[in-house]
Amino acid sequence: MSTIPSFRNSLFLASLTFSLFLIFGYVSDLLQMRHPNWIVADDVMMAGAAAVLVFRYERERSRFLSENCASSVT
């Protein structure tokens, strides 16, 4: 059985994710200055990273909701 993360843990994970995306975005911008033809590749990578993040969140949310619905029915 999983536990619900505390506000502090959620804030830490959100801050860590923000920092990683910020660093990744900054590095990719530096790379684009040197290689301007990589703009599309950069956009695809950032969109892919965001998609993975949202997918994982939705899977976890779905699992949590299904556990709650199953426990409230019985």
Side-chain angles (χ1 to χ4, degrees):
M1 182 171 157
S2 65
T3 60
I4 298 173
S6 69
F7 178 77
R8 180 181 241 166
N9 288 343
S10 297
L11 186 60
F12 171 74
L13 286 175
S15 299
L16 180 64
T17 303
F18 173 81
S19 299
L20 290 175
F21 270 85
L22 182 65
I23 291 168
F24 182 72
Y26 180 72
V27 169
S28 68
D29 286 345
L30 291 177
L31 185 64
Q32 284 180 23
M33 283 188 229
R34 302 190 106 193
H35 305 283
N37 55 345
W38 288 16
I39 291 173
V40 173
D42 174 64
D43 292 342
V44 168
M45 287 188 295
M46 288 299 282
V52 167
L53 191 66
V54 169
F55 178 77
R56 290 193 49 126
Y57 170 78
E58 285 299 322
R59 292 280 296 168
E60 185 66 24
R61 184 174 168 260
S62 176
R63 186 180 62 76
F64 178 74
L65 289 173
S66 68
E67 286 177 359
N68 280 350
C69 289
S71 65
S72 66
V73 171
T74 53

